[in-house]
Amino acid sequence: MSAPIIRPLSQMRGQIRRWKGHGETIGLVPTMGALHEGHLSLVRAARERCDRVVVTLFVNPRQFNNPEDFARYPRTELADAELLGPLAVDALFVPDAAEVYPPDHATTIRVSGVTEPLEGTHRPGHFDGVATVVTLLFNMTQPDAAFFGEKDWQQLQLVRRLVADLQLPLDIVPCPCVRAEDGLALSSRNQRLSPQARSRAAALPQALFAATRRIEAGEPVADVLRAAHADLAAAGFDPVEYLELRDATTLGDPVAGRPARLLVAAMLDGIRLIDNTAVTLRT
Ligand code: PAF
């Protein structure tokens, strides 16, 4: 059986009111669809923690800085609903673009600081779109907790900052990245890799894991990153948009003794892949 699809916002709001009226907690898993095991792991975490689980499916036009990328984004609503059925999802909320952004919509949420480097530099406007839609989805579904994957590390830090700064009454629950057997982080974009590109894509996590080990062993960061760049170029990644070691929370410069993160974005055969790993820096 498929998960029940809820469409107009009025129906979603009515359902949320009834659940809250019974004192039930709500877990939200925001998605853009084309669901894979990574999303399902977020749903399982929500299922464990909350009485009701709402998954949203909305391909948010405002977070695509390239209209072609938006047009080509996979849309697989019925398959998504089927995949969620066995996980006892209470609602797959699929809002209409006109309900999310009515024609007179004039508000953008911008989080500064954490959004500025890395993705912020390479995808101008992307995080404003994410912050705006996430705030709207929170307001529409009133969750007690929302579940986000660590695969989109910078997005996760943005959402944490947003919730803290706007004093939104919900918990943000980070969930570990889910990887394919060869190490490639699961992503809806992986579907668009040709079989040849897919077979080369594991070079990305391999370079990341190797660089992480070398940095943790105390090798100079600049040397390690240069070598990792060269490995990625040799595997056909072009361009490597960034490969940087950052403070895990602020995304500023790494600080010895604080959690750090190594983050990468690179194109393979025209498909943009991102990934990241935790790095423990020596004090
Ligand atoms: O991570 C995603 O799929 C999207 O950025 C999100 C959080 C659903 C907002 O559109």
Side-chain angles (χ1 to χ4, degrees), residues 19-69:
W19 287 334
K20 294 227 162 200
H22 294 127
E24 292 177 312
T25 57
I26 293 167
L28 172 70
V29 180
T31 82
M32 298 207 297
L35 301 184
H36 50 67
E37 195 50 43
H39 298 107
L40 301 189
S41 73
L42 304 180
V43 173
R44 286 189 198 102
R47 188 66 285 165
E48 257 176 40
R49 185 173 158 148
C50 301
D51 299 320
R52 299 289 178 176
V53 176
V54 176
V55 177
T56 58
L57 192 178
F58 179 63
V59 185
N60 174 30
R62 296 219 181 163
Q63 70 184 78
F64 287 83
N65 43 336
N66 174 346
E68 249 177 59
D69 195 23

Side-chain angles (χ1 to χ4, degrees), residues 2-277:
S2 293
I5 295 178
I6 292 191
R7 222 170 266 283
L9 176 57
S10 55
Q11 196 189 339
M12 188 73 255
R13 284 201 192 282
Q15 187 61 267
I16 300 278
R17 247 194 320 272
R18 283 190 291 280
W19 287 334
K20 294 227 162 200
H22 294 127
E24 292 177 312
T25 57
I26 293 167
L28 172 70
V29 180
T31 82
M32 298 207 297
L35 301 184
H36 50 67
E37 195 50 43
H39 298 107
L40 301 189
S41 73
L42 304 180
V43 173
R44 286 189 198 102
R47 188 66 285 165
E48 257 176 40
R49 185 173 158 148
C50 301
D51 299 320
R52 299 289 178 176
V53 176
V54 176
V55 177
T56 58
L57 192 178
F58 179 63
V59 185
N60 174 30
R62 296 219 181 163
Q63 70 184 78
F64 287 83
N65 43 336
N66 174 346
E68 249 177 59
D69 195 23
F70 173 66
R72 281 189 311 175
Y73 202 83
R75 288 163 172 85
T76 56
E77 180 182 318
L78 292 181
D80 291 343
E82 256 179 53
L83 218 49
L84 294 173
L87 300 188
V89 164
D90 295 283
L92 175 59
F93 176 43
V94 189
D96 224 53
E99 271 193 318
V100 180
Y101 302 119
D104 52 354
H105 191 275
T107 299
T108 298
I109 309 282
R110 169 168 297 171
V111 176
S112 54
V114 289
T115 60
E116 286 161 24
L118 311 172
E119 293 294 292
T121 309
H122 290 273
R123 302 184 68 189
H126 167 68
F127 280 138
D128 290 355
V130 172
T132 304
V133 82
V134 163
T135 307
L136 284 163
L137 294 171
F138 289 165
N139 287 336
M140 289 172 174
T141 61
Q142 304 282 303
D144 297 278
F147 298 76
F148 288 85
E150 291 184 349
K151 151 103 184 345
D152 295 300
W153 185 261
Q154 197 174 0
Q155 169 174 281
L156 173 62
Q157 305 319 311
L158 139 76
V159 174
R160 282 174 155 160
R161 193 68 262 150
L162 170 85
V163 165
D165 290 354
L166 298 182
Q167 304 189 17
L168 301 179
L170 76 153
D171 293 335
I172 298 303
V173 183
C175 300
C177 175
V178 179
R179 297 181 180 278
E181 231 163 74
D182 64 357
L184 182 66
L186 298 191
S187 162
S188 309
R189 287 172 199 273
N190 296 355
Q191 295 179 12
R192 301 201 335 234
L193 292 168
S194 67
Q196 294 87 334
R198 176 63 192 83
S199 67
R200 280 183 284 136
L204 189 69
Q206 279 159 13
L208 212 52
F209 297 153
T212 300
R213 278 193 301 272
R214 291 177 61 183
I215 293 170
E216 289 185 339
E219 288 189 45
V221 173
D223 293 353
V224 173
L225 296 185
R226 212 174 301 113
H229 249 275
D231 288 347
L232 289 173
F237 285 87
D238 184 25
V240 177
E241 291 186 0
Y242 60 79
L243 171 63
E244 292 188 30
L245 185 69
R246 296 275 173 161
D247 180 84
T249 308
T250 64
L251 278 318
D253 288 336
V255 180
R258 279 176 51 86
R261 212 83 194 173
L262 183 59
L263 303 105
V264 66
M267 301 286 287
L268 182 63
D269 266 4
I271 308 298
R272 190 171 186 276
L273 300 176
I274 64 171
D275 203 343
N276 68 87
T277 52

